[in-house]
Amino acid sequence: MGVLGEAWTWLTTGANWSGESGVAHRLGEHLYVSGVALALSCAIALPVALYLGHRGKGGALAVNLANVGRAIPVFAVLALFMVSPLRNAGYIPTIIALVLFAVPPLLTNAYVGMTEVDRSVAEAARGMGMSGGQLFLRVELPLAYPLIMTGLRSAAVQVVATATIAAMVGQGGLGRIITAGFNTYDTPQVVAGALLVAVLALLVEAVLVGVDRLLSPLRRRRPA
Amino acid sequence: MAAQNCLVTNDWICGEYLRSRSQELTDATVQHIWITVVSVAIGVAVAFPLALLARRSRRFAGPVLGLTTVLYTVPSLAMFSLLLPVFGLSAALVVTGLVLYSLTILVRNILAGLEAVPQEAKEAAHGMGYGPARLLWEVELPLALPALMAGIRIATVSTVALTTVGSIVGRGGLGNLIEDALPSFFKAQVLAASVLCVLLAVVADLLLLGLQRLLTPWTRIRATHGGAGAPGPVKAV
């Protein structure tokens, strides 16, 4: 209990929030790196998954990719970047590592969502004279939407949580508060940093649940 | 002196490194393996009763699934540091963190496996006079085995990867080698440890797949008849 109290004191001390290594700056870095990584992952994974899902082919590839992805430690990937010339490229190593990490779950979920659309529904849409594009936009995409969003949510939370590891190779983000506390044997600071990241991950989850509800295509369709 | 040279020039691939530090590499790999094995074993031992509890009543299912999901969103670096005041700098700290992560995957998979057991099979066993314990061990568990093993495979592979983060407290197996090599930009060591880590995950996955095949011979018979034995898509976590 003592440590938690001290961690709270650390968090509520204004001086810890300002400056280069303060909470505000680290939070900015963390959100920037996670946001860019997630946007890039979506830009890469979703078109591929939706296209493969629409054609109904290539599924084994997507699922296997996701399983291989799990075996690759982000820490090792980051470390490899940091001993290569990429170490001078600012946030780029962290962003690449996080993209590699986030693409597999996004890809699998979107693909599975597309292929689980009832074939008879797709055939009925075809029978009503829908073109491939119309079928995709007006039938498959809305029906696959819940699973796509589930994938996006878990990817976002995992990216925010994993961006912490960047600190272990000296990159920015909230993890630096934890590692800095570690190096100075300042346990309250370590706990404070851990709490900050955990709360941020849960906040991101909550925001995405809200966005999900607002955007859900099935919810928007009011009874006529 | 060509062999010595690759250590001096700091090449990515260096035979001399592998030869001169083979003891160090073996020790790190052994540490990595036992941390992973102990974590997954404890994870299964804890997840199984939790899954049974969650299945028994809806009142337990919500909190059990909710709590394990929340635990999964806690970043690994944060998890290890949050446990620091409790365990100090020890392997128990890393193992506890890894167990907590594996619970999310294991509980969900065991539960899904048990719930997918056909009602007719259970009723038939009831009719033959099976009690609840015998029903669980002799009917439900074998039928849930594929889902359970799928869960153990995912948990093991991600635990192998996550163990590297344990290097923050000096108990990360191959992660320790990576962290040691970082300040001096020792490329051969970072690459060797990273490759070993991925290899370890792949080998563990294949071993578990083999074990699953051995334990569920009936799925193979079905597969040769209708080809229906293909595993479904693994749920992304």
Side-chain angles (χ1 to χ4, degrees):
Chain A
M1 202 55 227
V3 172
L4 276 182
E6 285 173 68
W8 181 251
T9 314
W10 191 94
L11 278 175
T12 47
T13 304
N16 291 328
W17 284 73
S18 54
E20 260 291 285
S21 52
V23 173
H25 182 233
R26 294 299 183 205
L27 186 67
E29 285 178 326
H30 205 100
L31 286 174
Y32 172 77
V33 166
S34 313
V36 173
L38 194 66
L40 274 176
S41 311
C42 286
I44 296 168
L46 293 185
V48 175
L50 294 180
Y51 178 73
L52 290 177
H54 181 64
R55 308 301 306 275
K57 285 182 197 140
L61 180 80
V63 174
N64 283 329
L65 200 68
N67 286 340
V68 172
R70 245 186 274 273
I72 300 171
V74 178
F75 175 47
V77 175
L78 269 174
L80 283 172
F81 285 146
M82 293 315 282
V83 294
S84 78
L86 261 182
R87 67 168 166 272
N88 298 318
Y91 297 121
I92 291 175
T94 316
I95 290 173
I96 300 178
L98 289 177
V99 168
L100 288 176
F101 177 77
V103 161
L106 280 172
L107 199 68
T108 324
N109 267 48
Y111 178 81
V112 171
M114 288 293 285
T115 49
E116 278 188 356
V117 171
D118 195 340
R119 277 301 99 191
S120 56
V121 173
E123 270 161 34
R126 285 269 190 201
M128 287 165 68
M130 281 195 184
S131 68
Q134 283 174 322
L135 171 71
F136 171 72
L137 274 180
R138 292 166 61 181
V139 178
E140 290 177 325
L141 201 57
L143 286 175
Y145 176 85
L147 258 184
I148 299 176
M149 275 310 281
T150 309
L152 182 67
R153 257 168 51 199
S154 64
V157 171
Q158 288 299 300
V159 162
V160 168
T162 310
T164 330
I165 297 188
M168 291 179 74
V169 299
Q171 295 259 303
L174 284 174
R176 282 294 280 276
I177 293 170
I178 299 175
T179 49
F182 241 102
N183 296 336
T184 53
Y185 303 100
D186 185 352
T187 309
Q189 182 181 339
V190 170
V191 175
L195 284 175
L196 278 171
V197 189
V199 168
L200 183 65
L202 291 176
L203 268 181
V204 167
E205 168 89 20
V207 167
L208 284 174
V209 169
V211 171
D212 186 3
R213 295 227 171 116
L214 277 178
L215 291 181
S216 172
L218 297 177
R219 172 170 278 253
R220 226 185 309 154
R221 205 161 292 159
R222 293 185 201 93
Chain B
M1 294 303 280
Q4 271 295 324
N5 252 346
C6 70
L7 278 178
V8 178
T9 56
N10 197 11
D11 289 339
W12 282 103
I13 297 165
C14 181
E16 182 58 26
Y17 164 73
L18 294 179
R19 238 168 289 129
S20 60
R21 309 281 184 94
S22 62
Q23 189 57 46
E24 221 177 285
L25 279 167
T26 317
D27 289 347
T29 310
V30 168
Q31 188 187 52
H32 209 110
I33 293 173
W34 82 251
I35 286 179
T36 305
V37 170
V38 170
S39 305
V40 175
I42 298 178
V44 174
V46 177
F48 196 68
L50 280 180
L52 287 182
L53 209 63
R55 184 179 65 144
R56 182 159 282 257
S57 88
R58 289 279 131 210
R59 271 192 303 132
F60 286 117
V64 165
L65 292 177
L67 187 69
T68 51
T69 310
V70 167
L71 281 174
Y72 205 74
T73 64
V74 179
S76 46
L77 195 60
M79 175 78 90
F80 291 147
S81 24
L82 279 176
L83 292 171
L84 188 66
V86 187
F87 293 97
L89 293 169
S90 67
L93 163 79
V94 179
V95 169
T96 309
L98 293 172
V99 166
L100 291 177
Y101 283 125
S102 67
L103 284 184
T104 315
I105 302 163
L106 291 171
V107 170
R108 273 171 198 276
N109 272 274
I110 298 173
L111 200 58
L114 288 176
E115 277 175 354
V117 173
Q119 194 60 36
E120 305 92 79
K122 285 192 263 183
E123 273 164 23
H126 265 307
M128 288 165 71
Y130 278 43
R134 206 167 155 217
L135 178 73
L136 179 66
W137 283 111
E138 290 179 24
V139 178
E140 291 179 298
L141 204 55
L143 287 176
L145 209 57
L148 190 145
M149 286 301 290
I152 294 181
R153 279 173 63 198
I154 302 173
T156 307
V157 169
S158 37
T159 303
V160 170
L162 266 176
T163 301
T164 54
V165 180
S167 62
I168 182 98
V169 294
R171 298 292 198 289
L174 293 161
N176 290 349
L177 293 185
I178 297 177
E179 181 154 51
D180 291 345
L182 273 176
S184 56
F185 303 112
F186 191 173
K187 291 176 184 169
Q189 181 158 326
V190 174
L191 185 66
S194 305
V195 169
L196 268 176
C197 199
V198 175
L199 272 181
L200 211 58
V202 172
V203 169
D205 197 41
L206 289 177
L207 282 177
L208 285 169
L209 184 65
L211 181 68
Q212 181 183 348
R213 290 253 168 115
L214 277 178
L215 291 176
T216 57
W218 60 89
T219 55
R220 259 174 302 161
I221 299 166
R222 202 187 310 151
T224 50
H225 277 291
V234 176
K235 190 186 185 308
V237 283

